[in-house]
Amino acid sequence: MALLTDLYQLTMAYGYWRAGRHRAPAAAELFFRREPFRGAFALGAGLAEGLRFLRAFRFSAADIAYLRSVLPSTTEDAFFDYLCTVDASEVTVSSVPEGSVVFSRVPLLQVKGPLLVVQLLETTLLCLINYASLVATNAARFRLLAGPEVKLMEMGLRRAQGPDGGLSASKYSYIGGFDYTSNVLAGKLYGIPVRGTIAHSFIMSFTSLEEVQPRVLPPLAGGEPVDLPALAELWLQRVPWALILPLALVRSGLPNFCAVALALHQLGYRAIGVRLDSGDLIQQAKEIRSVLRACGTTFQVPWFGSIPIAVSNDISEQSLENFNREGSEIDMIGVGTNLVTCPLQPSLGCVYKLVEVNGSPCLKLTEEEEKMTIPGTKAVYRLYDAAGHPFMDLMALEDEPSPSGGQELVVHVLGRRGEATKVRPTAVDTLHRTYFRDGQVCEALPSLPEVRSHAQASLSLLGPAHRRLREPEPYPVAVTEKLHLLLAELRQTSQ
């Protein structure tokens, strides 16, 4: 994957090499500038894929041959010889654990190593982190709106941006809180539970009950096989539909479903559920639930009233808000296009910036304050209040003493002009862990279900004002007094 990069990364690498700066120690940070979807948070994802890329990072003979054909003919042969030796064995990467809640301008990843290598890693790491974090965040928003009880199924493969996008969407929507995927390959590769129903085409392919084969089904407890369609027709005649079925559902498939479900019950089986994918989903689900309960009462089948009702049909955040506002009897929601394509915001906008070269802090100076980088290699801390909610992320220079719970801290909140602020956190967490060193992953990585659990736990710690999806309270990110002074000094000298 070393060639999965932009051409200008190799052009810059050649420039570093020719200037004799290619082995200068450097540090870069990967972060985003603004929270997605007008919310107050994002979920960091893609770390495991990033580490897998780092472990395998090197140029093959075929890669070098191709680069000779695309770089200028004046490129020195010795540069290509040097690229043959390049790998990530001198790179160190620290990161927030995958699935953590993260905020703008706070580094998701910090990368240290030789300048040329740190530069070459930029595009690929951005590719692996950007979409992963965006989809995980989008999925987390759907989960927060749906609540903890409703099952969520990702079913966006046919609408995804190619097979890679489809697989990534399945994986990272699971991290964000979805329960299932319809993507069978994602199920095989990642162990995500797979679920699905049937399409209209399956029903339309049959024109009569005579075409249903095989017809017989043995009772679950054993015994002679029974003609299931014939048994279902008997049940269809026994149910007093005029008494329990709303007029709007008389022509629907619900009577047939109930008849088949009752026939299955008679043989010891349980119906899996009902799927709705058009019309007024809320009203239909309420009417169907009423019918199922009536059938359960009439025929003394207690579980019948709780048969799951699943819905799909271009489900969006607005759909879930409507479900919540009007109340619904929906048990499972399938989401496709509005999950995997992230139409409300197609990119998280992560960037990768140098913050230190040869031990000297770097500053990108710009008229737009949010595009200005925070110089120097840093430690990042999360500060918690007495209720256990995080209330601020704090960036400090790497050589500063770590803050502790109960300590009064002097901080400068980014984006707020004026005097320093004093805060006294009840508890303090160090956000970053070192995951990669000497060419190897140096900390055991959690399984996908463990990352998913960590994401839900991380979200649950957020205070309600930061967790809400509409007009949330912005989450403050601050720097220490020492880092603030360094930033001011570099601004001054750069002008």
Side-chain angles (χ1 to χ4, degrees):
M1 287 178 64
L3 292 188
L4 186 64
T5 189
D6 296 305
L7 179 62
Y8 83 156
Q9 305 289 9
L10 288 147
T11 303
M12 287 187 285
Y14 183 51
Y16 292 143
W17 180 82
R18 287 208 69 194
R21 294 176 56 79
H22 55 292
R23 291 198 52 77
E29 293 176 346
L30 189 153
F31 59 94
F32 57 91
R33 295 185 174 117
R34 193 175 299 173
E35 279 77 14
F37 310 114
R38 297 183 180 179
F41 68 87
L43 278 185
L47 173 63
E49 292 292 340
L51 296 175
R52 188 174 294 114
F53 156 69
L54 289 169
R55 195 168 54 186
F57 177 75
R58 59 187 54 84
F59 293 94
S60 68
D63 293 340
I64 298 298
Y66 176 73
L67 290 177
R68 287 181 181 274
S69 74
V70 296
L71 288 175
S73 59
T74 54
T75 305
E76 297 177 41
D77 285 342
F79 174 65
F80 295 110
D81 294 337
Y82 180 73
L83 285 184
C84 290
T85 70
V86 167
D87 58 24
S89 60
E90 296 179 78
V91 170
T92 299
V93 174
S94 62
S95 170
V96 297
E98 188 160 15
S100 297
V101 167
V102 288
F103 303 99
S104 61
R105 305 192 73 176
V106 176
L108 278 75
L109 297 179
Q110 295 190 89
V111 182
K112 299 177 184 178
L115 177 58
L116 180 146
V117 179
V118 169
Q119 186 71 66
L120 286 176
L121 299 177
E122 175 182 6
T123 299
T124 315
L125 288 176
L126 284 171
C127 177
L128 294 172
I129 300 296
N130 252 314
Y131 181 67
S133 299
L134 185 73
V135 171
T137 304
N138 200 23
R141 292 172 64 88
F142 276 95
R143 169 50 68 196
L144 287 171
L145 284 168
E149 301 302 323
V150 174
K151 298 297 184 183
L152 293 176
M153 179 172 70
E154 175 273 317
M155 45 185 289
L157 179 58
R158 63 187 62 191
R159 302 287 175 83
Q161 287 94 339
D164 291 339
L167 283 169
S168 293
S170 299
K171 180 177 183 179
Y172 295 113
S173 62
Y174 183 68
I175 286 176
F178 272 59
D179 300 283
Y180 311 116
T181 181
S182 66
N183 185 340
V184 180
L185 182 56
K188 176 188 176 185
L189 293 176
Y190 309 129
I192 303 170
V194 292
R195 293 290 187 277
T197 56
I198 57 172
H200 292 99
S201 56
F202 182 80
I203 304 299
M204 293 162 59
S205 70
F206 295 90
T207 58
S208 69
L209 284 178
E210 284 67 33
E211 295 177 350
V212 177
Q213 296 295 334
R215 296 179 61 90
V216 297
L217 180 70
L220 189 62
E224 288 298 316
V226 175
D227 187 320
L228 182 62
L231 182 60
E233 286 192 287
L234 291 175
W235 275 105
L236 190 62
Q237 296 168 17
R238 291 181 59 186
V239 178
W241 300 114
L243 298 179
I244 67 172
L245 196 65
L247 183 61
L249 296 179
V250 168
R251 293 183 178 273
S252 75
L254 185 59
N256 292 330
F257 170 82
C258 290
V260 172
L262 289 166
L264 287 170
H265 169 69
Q266 183 176 336
L267 298 178
Y269 300 92
R270 222 180 241 210
I272 293 174
V274 177
R275 177 198 175 194
L276 305 173
D277 73 343
S278 62
D280 187 335
L281 301 177
I282 297 173
Q283 184 60 29
Q284 288 183 69
K286 289 179 179 178
E287 292 174 348
I288 289 171
R289 181 68 68 207
S290 175
V291 171
L292 295 177
R293 287 173 179 153
C295 277
T297 300
T298 301
F299 298 104
Q300 298 182 337
V301 184
W303 58 265
F304 213 86
S306 59
I307 289 175
I309 299 175
V311 302
S312 59
N313 187 23
D314 204 24
I315 300 295
S316 65
E317 287 189 7
Q318 184 64 55
S319 305
L320 269 64
E321 288 173 340
N322 292 340
F323 296 167
N324 291 335
R325 183 175 58 254
E326 299 183 31
S328 76
E329 293 287 349
I330 295 167
D331 303 289
M332 178 184 287
I333 301 171
V335 190
T337 305
N338 289 303
L339 174 65
V340 305
T341 66
C342 302
L344 297 180
Q345 182 173 328
S347 173
L348 180 56
C350 285
V351 294
Y352 181 98
K353 300 296 180 184
L354 281 176
V355 294
E356 188 173 285
V357 177
N358 262 332
S360 299
C362 300
L363 172 67
K364 177 184 178 181
L365 200 61
T366 172
E367 292 181 1
E368 296 181 55
E369 184 171 346
E370 75 168 13
K371 287 193 172 183
M372 205 173 295
T373 56
I374 310 296
T377 55
K378 292 179 278 296
V380 186
Y381 305 97
R382 184 154 292 170
L383 313 184
Y384 294 84
D385 61 21
H389 301 306
F391 71 86
M392 179 180 288
D393 279 10
L394 178 64
M395 290 187 280
L397 289 170
E398 199 172 44
D399 60 359
E400 291 188 68
S402 301
S404 57
Q407 177 185 356
E408 183 178 83
L409 305 172
V410 178
V411 304
H412 293 260
V413 178
L414 298 178
R416 296 183 193 172
R417 298 187 181 277
E419 298 297 319
T421 300
K422 293 181 179 180
V423 296
R424 190 185 298 273
T426 301
V428 178
D429 272 351
T430 302
L431 281 189
H432 282 199
R433 302 178 190 172
T434 299
Y435 282 95
F436 192 85
R437 184 186 287 118
D438 300 329
Q440 296 297 323
V441 177
C442 57
E443 178 161 329
L445 296 179
S447 66
L448 199 64
E450 288 171 336
V451 174
R452 181 178 184 272
S453 296
H454 172 67
Q456 298 310 302
S458 189
L459 285 165
S460 69
L461 289 178
L462 283 179
H466 297 132
R467 192 167 59 238
R468 66 174 180 250
L469 305 185
R470 299 289 177 261
E471 299 182 354
E473 182 180 311
Y475 184 90
V477 173
V479 296
T480 60
E481 180 76 9
K482 186 174 181 180
L483 183 49
H484 174 74
L485 291 173
L486 174 63
L487 182 57
E489 177 186 338
L490 290 176
R491 282 177 174 171
Q492 185 68 32
T493 57
S494 299
Q495 292 174 349

